[in-house]
Amino acid sequence: MNYKNRVTSQMLDYMSMDFCIDLKPKKHLNFGGHDMSEYCRTWVYAYAPRYTIETVLRYFEAGTGIKASSKGLILDEEQNIVHFEAKLLVEPKPEHGFWIPNEEDASKQCTRLGTVHDASQDPAYHYLFRCIGIFGVTAEIAGSSSSKPSASASVESDKEAARLIFTLVSVRTEGIVNNIAPVVYNPRRCTKCNINDNPEWWG
């Protein structure tokens, strides 16, 4: 990809992920520049197994030769999960779907409630849910702003990294989760997740 002197986005693929989604209402913050007004409309807090995220980052690096950035990925070392902000597919066609299982249906078929935002408007769904989700994964790469070669050019090149953006396309709930603390801070200001050679599975 030619990404010098600009930010380049490249759609990579779709993936299924076992994760949790937070539909609890969020207060609008008056500090830090973190806009919560679009929560559950265009983005949402998500929680995935540490192993899953680290594997995606590792495969991306192995397949492209480009370093994967940990920006926006917050590691909870106690629970071995990664907190991140997932974008929501908001195009009219197609629009992401929020599905729940039919409790009385032995075939385990699901019913579409609408979008994540539609579900978040009902107090009955103000919980953290364990889900199976389909995500579109996009690599976003910021190139160097310098157009002149310099002695530090190779060093700057080494620092260039791709941030992986996860966009939720469809989500099916698997039940309510009570053992994960919801995000109550601005994750952009917290400890970042790093690739680990000894990952552990979702507990």
Side-chain angles (χ1 to χ4, degrees), residues 62-180:
T64 66
I66 301 173
K67 180 177 176 58
S69 170
S70 60
K71 182 178 180 181
L73 303 177
I74 315 304
L75 175 62
D76 182 336
E77 295 183 355
E78 292 185 358
Q79 296 189 328
N80 284 309
I81 61 176
V82 175
H83 304 190
F84 64 97
E85 295 177 14
K87 289 187 175 181
L88 298 174
L89 186 66
V90 294
E91 297 295 331
K93 295 181 180 181
E95 189 176 47
H96 73 275
F98 184 87
W99 300 75
I100 60 171
N102 297 331
E103 296 181 357
E104 300 179 356
D105 191 339
S107 63
K108 296 183 179 180
Q109 293 184 349
C110 296
T111 298
R112 186 179 186 274
L113 291 183
T115 66
V116 168
H117 178 256
D118 293 333
S120 71
Q121 299 304 294
D122 187 341
Y125 297 100
H126 288 174
Y127 297 97
L128 268 78
F129 290 92
R130 185 166 186 174
C131 310
I132 300 295
I134 303 297
F135 290 85
V137 185
T138 301
E140 187 178 88
I141 304 175
S144 171
S145 59
S146 174
S147 60
K148 297 181 180 180
S150 66
S152 62
S154 61
V155 176
E156 292 178 357
S157 178
D158 290 339
K159 292 182 179 180
E160 290 170 350
R163 179 182 179 185
L164 299 187
I165 307 297
F166 297 90
T167 301
L168 187 59
V169 176
S170 184
V171 56
R172 185 189 71 200
T173 64
E174 297 287 319
I176 295 172
V177 175
N178 295 315
N179 62 345
I180 295 180

Side-chain angles (χ1 to χ4, degrees), residues 5-55:
N5 305 317
R6 57 177 178 163
V7 174
T8 299
S9 288
Q10 176 67 52
M11 175 63 186
L12 301 177
D13 209 339
Y14 292 92
M15 65 172 288
S16 176
M17 187 189 304
D18 181 7
F19 77 112
C20 291
I21 188 173
D22 184 4
L23 298 190
K24 294 183 178 180
K26 305 299 178 189
K27 293 182 179 180
H28 291 223
L29 302 184
N30 296 320
F31 58 93
H34 198 48
D35 182 14
M36 301 298 291
S37 63
E38 292 299 307
Y39 191 73
C40 286
R41 292 178 181 271
T42 61
W43 68 278
V44 68
Y45 284 129
Y47 310 79
R50 177 180 184 176
Y51 175 83
T52 300
I53 299 300
E54 290 179 342
T55 299

